Amino acid sequence: MSLSQVITRIVDTFYFHPLRALIPLQIFRYGFCGAANMVLDSIWYFLIYHFIIKGRFIDLDFILVSPHIASLALVFPITFFTGFWLNRNIAFRTTETKSSGQMAKYALTVVGAIILNYLCMKLFVEVCNIWPTPSKSITTVISAVYSFLAAKYFTFKEKGKGGAAIPCGKSDGMEV
């Protein structure tokens, strides 16, 4: 049994009856993978900030990088690749399409999500005068919906199909 099958079985154990009536399996897996990647991001950030960067400014001669931004820059590639792997192998379970093409598409959707986050925060805080914390919450929901739809219909879309590898609500042959 592969690592992705083991992780999928673990994820699917949390997909019990009340959730089945409310959330399609693919959306549940996507949310679970996103939450797992967020936890990994926080752990990696903590470890890198405290044990590698050690709270120091990084002088690159042409710019002085603050410790929190340096840590962010080091964590981003890690969670980028874990997020890609989790989405490809757990949430959307695609195997027929080459991963290199999907990774390029994934990078585009991540850039799109970053731009969307920036624009939404500017709109909600500076134009609509909504406080920053509720603005961030609204932005996160919008970004998550965008990211899911981009993953389903662009990044992990199977050739010749309108959606991703497993239709929402299907178990892809594995016991749930």
Side-chain angles (χ1 to χ4, degrees):
M1 184 177 293
S2 70
L3 178 61
S4 63
Q5 290 172 323
V6 170
I7 293 172
T8 300
R9 284 183 181 241
I10 292 168
V11 170
D12 288 353
T13 62
F14 295 97
Y15 189 62
F16 41 83
H17 181 63
L19 291 175
R20 289 180 185 166
L22 299 171
I23 304 169
L25 178 60
Q26 187 176 50
I27 293 174
F28 177 79
R29 286 179 179 170
Y30 179 80
F32 199 99
C33 290
N37 204 40
M38 187 177 72
V39 169
L40 286 172
D41 180 76
S42 297
I43 292 168
W44 278 113
Y45 187 89
F46 176 85
L47 293 172
I48 289 171
Y49 182 87
H50 290 285
F51 297 107
I52 295 175
I53 302 295
K54 296 181 181 177
R56 298 176 299 210
F57 282 79
I58 307 296
D59 188 358
L60 299 176
D61 287 334
F62 62 93
I63 191 170
L64 185 64
V65 182
S66 61
H68 57 281
I69 298 301
S71 299
L72 184 66
L74 290 175
V75 168
F76 179 77
I78 298 168
T79 54
F80 174 85
F81 287 111
T82 57
F84 174 76
W85 188 89
L86 287 167
N87 278 304
R88 177 172 164 59
N89 295 292
I90 310 301
F92 296 99
R93 303 200 45 93
T94 58
T95 55
E96 294 175 19
T97 308
K98 291 183 179 180
S99 63
S100 59
Q102 287 177 334
M103 188 170 296
K105 289 179 177 182
Y106 184 76
L108 280 173
T109 61
V110 168
V111 168
I114 291 168
I115 293 169
L116 183 63
N117 272 274
Y118 175 79
L119 293 175
C120 284
M121 288 299 290
K122 293 292 266 182
L123 173 70
F124 296 142
V125 174
E126 297 176 17
V127 176
C128 299
N129 294 314
I130 301 172
W131 290 346
T133 302
S135 293
K136 178 59 177 139
S137 298
I138 296 166
T139 297
T140 298
V141 170
I142 292 169
S143 182
V145 170
Y146 157 80
S147 295
F148 176 79
L149 293 173
K152 182 174 178 74
Y153 296 107
F154 176 66
T155 305
F156 300 107
K157 178 183 172 184
E158 277 192 284
K159 290 181 181 179
K161 291 192 177 181
I166 57 170
C168 290
K170 302 288 183 191
S171 70
D172 72 2
M174 296 185 71
E175 288 294 319
V176 180

